[in-house]
């Protein structure tokens, strides 16, 4: 992604007006929202569409013959089609609604693992994974007698690709790797990693929670086998998310959950299952959240998403330069290719104290291990403060962050 300077084709004032929460105050100060890696804010158009469903269209979907049910079903399935086009899936049926990335990875780990992983097999994850892309695979490995292998990273927070290639062998059954690190911001060369795994006939799951909101993706170009992401990080309501999976895998995998909606026939002797995507969508789904995800995609499609990505990257570069100029600050994660995330520590000050004082200035950042304890252990820190950016953030907000960091240092001097 090219490094942008001053963006003349990005109307930041107009964009900010789309997000009502950005006009509020916190602790008597204008809100500076820099916690987008945890959850982005929601534009008014998404709020309106979700409210319209709840106020005028609410009904359970599928199998209903009455007007509201059919109308809600049409809206929900239209959202699935929007997802398909947004990530360029081959067909909408390859897009499974889930509550978010965590549930999505658990779905793949449980279903794929039950079918294809056995004793002595190996599962490859990377050293920078979110816990959601570690723990499910550990459980599968323990149950199946398989082994977890870890792709190492260097001191800049970049995966050592040469070591990754050495890990692949005839026992490898799946690679599960993040596209963009939630704790470091590193953008991994995921297309190349997928191609390398495919040389061994190994499928790849991509944790795309931190990539889909920040730059265009194309699952067919990447050749991803599984591609999982959350709606709440891409301007949609919480409890919305997607598992994309190639049909060739999804058709072979057993259901993750069972019950209503995912069956073809049920008798006391035998149950047969519906085809995808219904096979993986047991019970009443988050209908409002799914429709909201579709509305968020509509919003993103109304923008020049490449320009949004360039603008956002310029904000990250500016913030990196501002904080790097403060001697007491250490930036954690200095990869050559990054997106959205700026993690840092201050000498002698716990990140929770940093976050608390920034909050008093109206600045929202995340402080902690970011569900990435192995990353914290690697960098020998208990936690970091993390500023994570979206295309509605401004240089003025970055200046406020830098000034507030200086205030933190003064308080603890």
């Amino acid at each position: 992604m090219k490094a942008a300077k001053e963006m003349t084709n990005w109307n930041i004032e107009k964009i900010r007006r789309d997000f009502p929460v950005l006009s509020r105050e916190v602790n008597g100060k204008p809100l500076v929202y820099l916690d987008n890696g945890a959850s982005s804010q929601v534009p008014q158009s998404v709020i309106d569409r979700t409210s319209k469903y709840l106020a005028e269209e609410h009904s359970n979907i599928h199998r209903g013959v009455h007007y509201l049910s059919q109308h809600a079903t049409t809206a929900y399935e239209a959202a699935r089609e929007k997802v398909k086009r947004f990530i360029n899936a081959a067909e909408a049926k390859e897009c499974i609604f889930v509550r978010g990335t965590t549930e999505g990875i658990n779905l793949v780990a449980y279903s794929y693992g039950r079918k294809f992983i056995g004793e002595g097999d190996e599962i490859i994850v990377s050293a920078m994974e979110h816990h959601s892309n570690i723990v499910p695979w550990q459980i599968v490995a323990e149950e199946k007698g398989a082994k977890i292998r870890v792709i190492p990273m260097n001191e800049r927070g970049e995966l050592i690709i040469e070591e990754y290639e050495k890990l692949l062998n005839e026992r490898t059954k799946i690679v599960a790797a993040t596209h963009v690190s939630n704790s470091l911001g590193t953008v991994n060369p995921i297309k190349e990693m997928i191609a390398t795994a495919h040389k061994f006939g190994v499928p790849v799951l991509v944790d795309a929670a931190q990539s889909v909101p920040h730059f265009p993706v194309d699952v067919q170009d990447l050749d991803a086998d599984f591609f999982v992401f959350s709606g709440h990080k891409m301007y949609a309501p919480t409890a919305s998310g997607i598992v994309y999976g190639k049909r060739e895998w999804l058709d072979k995998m057993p259901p993750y959950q069972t019950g209503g909606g995912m069956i073809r026939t049920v008798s006391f002797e035998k149950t047969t299952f519906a085809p995808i995507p219904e096979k993986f969508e047991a019970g009443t789904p988050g209908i409002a959240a799914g429709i909201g995800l579709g509305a968020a995609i509509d919003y993103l499609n109304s923008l020049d998403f490449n320009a949004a990505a360039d603008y956002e990257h310029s904000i990250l570069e500016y913030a990196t330069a501002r904080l790097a100029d403060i001697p007491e600050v250490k930036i954690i994660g200095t990869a050559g290719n990054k997106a959205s995330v700026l993690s840092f520590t201050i000498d002698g000050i716990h990140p929770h104290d940093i976050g608390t004082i920034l909050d008093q200035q109206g600045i929202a950042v995340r402080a902690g291990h970011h569900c990435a304890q192995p990353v914290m252990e690697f960098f020998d820190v208990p936690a970091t403060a993390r500023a994570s950016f979206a295309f509605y953030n401004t240089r003025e907000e970055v200046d406020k962050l830098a000034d507030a960091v200086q205030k933190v240092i003064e308080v603890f001097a």
Side-chain angles (χ1 to χ4, degrees):
M1 195 186 306
K2 67 182 180 181
K5 296 182 181 179
E6 291 292 345
M7 300 292 296
T8 58
N9 61 338
W10 190 248
N11 190 338
I12 187 62
E13 292 81 11
K14 179 179 182 298
I15 294 296
R16 287 180 64 84
R17 288 195 296 270
D18 292 338
F19 294 84
V21 74
L22 298 182
S23 63
R24 70 162 295 173
E25 292 188 348
V26 171
N27 293 324
K29 305 286 178 61
L31 171 64
V32 176
Y33 187 79
L34 303 178
D35 194 22
N36 298 283
S39 282
S40 59
Q41 292 299 335
V42 181
Q44 188 65 53
S45 61
V46 175
I47 296 169
D48 291 344
R49 182 64 190 93
T50 306
S51 297
K52 178 179 174 63
Y53 162 76
L54 291 170
E56 302 177 14
E57 305 167 346
H58 177 60
S59 178
N60 215 320
I61 60 171
H62 302 141
R63 300 175 303 285
V65 297
H66 62 82
Y67 174 84
L68 286 180
S69 178
Q70 291 186 343
H71 199 72
T73 298
T74 298
Y76 190 74
E77 292 302 329
R80 193 191 308 273
E81 182 64 31
K82 292 172 186 178
V83 170
K84 175 252 183 187
R85 293 195 299 268
F86 189 68
I87 64 173
N88 193 33
E91 54 180 311
K93 291 180 182 296
E94 294 178 319
C95 302
I96 300 162
F97 280 110
V98 289
R99 290 178 299 144
T101 305
T102 296
E103 184 179 39
I105 295 173
N106 274 272
L107 184 157
V108 176
Y110 176 84
S111 182
Y112 177 90
R114 280 177 65 191
K115 183 79 171 181
F116 295 106
I117 297 175
E119 186 173 358
D121 288 337
E122 296 180 355
I123 301 162
I124 295 178
V125 301
S126 89
M128 62 178 66
E129 297 306 314
H130 188 283
H131 296 165
S132 294
N133 208 21
I134 299 173
V135 180
W137 301 110
Q138 287 177 329
I139 291 174
V140 170
E142 290 172 4
E143 290 179 350
K144 295 288 189 172
K147 183 178 181 180
I148 302 289
R149 306 292 299 276
V150 181
I151 310 167
M153 64 179 170
N154 61 29
E155 295 294 330
R156 288 168 57 86
E158 299 165 322
L159 294 183
I160 304 173
I161 298 302
E162 298 81 5
E163 296 301 317
Y164 162 61
E165 294 170 354
K166 294 176 184 177
L167 292 175
L168 289 157
N169 60 64
E170 69 280 357
R171 296 184 300 277
T172 309
K173 293 301 178 184
I174 194 165
V175 174
T178 187
H179 198 174
V180 176
S181 166
N182 76 299
S183 57
L184 303 171
T186 305
V187 180
N188 287 319
I190 204 71
K191 183 175 180 178
E192 293 77 7
M193 293 173 68
I194 291 169
T196 301
H198 285 175
K199 291 177 183 177
F200 290 81
V202 176
V204 178
L205 175 141
V206 181
D207 174 353
Q210 301 291 341
S211 60
V212 170
H214 300 295
F215 49 81
V217 298
D218 183 331
V219 295
Q220 292 191 78
D221 178 65
L222 293 174
D223 201 19
D225 300 278
F226 303 101
F227 194 83
V228 188
F229 57 95
S230 300
H232 70 268
K233 300 182 194 297
M234 54 177 290
Y235 317 103
T238 54
S240 62
I242 293 292
V243 172
Y244 159 81
K246 288 181 179 177
R247 175 181 279 275
E248 64 187 86
W249 289 115
L250 296 178
D251 282 343
K252 298 173 185 175
M253 289 160 49
Y256 171 53
Q257 295 177 323
T258 56
M262 52 73 63
I263 57 89
R264 178 177 281 135
T265 63
V266 175
S267 70
F268 288 110
E269 290 72 37
K270 183 177 178 59
T271 294
T272 60
F273 303 121
I276 63 169
E278 290 86 359
K279 180 171 71 171
F280 295 104
E281 295 182 351
T284 299
I287 304 169
I291 292 172
L293 176 57
I297 290 173
D298 288 340
Y299 176 75
L300 291 173
N301 285 338
S302 74
L303 308 175
D304 181 340
F305 200 25
N306 285 301
D310 286 343
Y311 172 81
E312 185 182 288
H313 195 68
S314 75
I315 295 297
L316 174 64
E317 288 187 325
Y318 181 65
T320 301
R322 284 299 316 268
L323 292 194
D325 280 343
I326 303 173
E328 295 87 350
V329 169
K330 179 180 180 181
I331 295 173
I332 305 296
T334 56
N337 190 8
K338 289 185 62 176
S340 177
V341 170
L342 180 58
S343 288
F344 63 95
T345 59
I346 302 175
D347 291 342
I349 306 173
H350 195 281
H352 289 164
D353 294 324
I354 299 172
T356 299
I357 295 176
L358 293 184
D359 180 62
Q360 294 170 359
Q361 302 301 308
I363 301 171
V365 300
R366 185 122 324 222
H369 55 63
H370 315 297
C371 296
Q373 288 181 335
V375 173
M376 301 299 116
E377 182 178 354
F378 177 84
F379 285 98
D380 195 26
V381 295
T384 68
R386 183 188 72 182
S388 50
F389 303 98
F391 53 62
Y392 45 60
N393 291 124
T394 67
R395 289 193 173 208
E396 290 75 19
E397 290 180 321
V398 171
D399 291 337
K400 290 180 180 180
L401 170 66
D403 291 345
V405 167
Q406 291 280 17
K407 182 176 181 65
V408 171
I409 295 168
E410 292 169 8
V411 167
F412 283 88

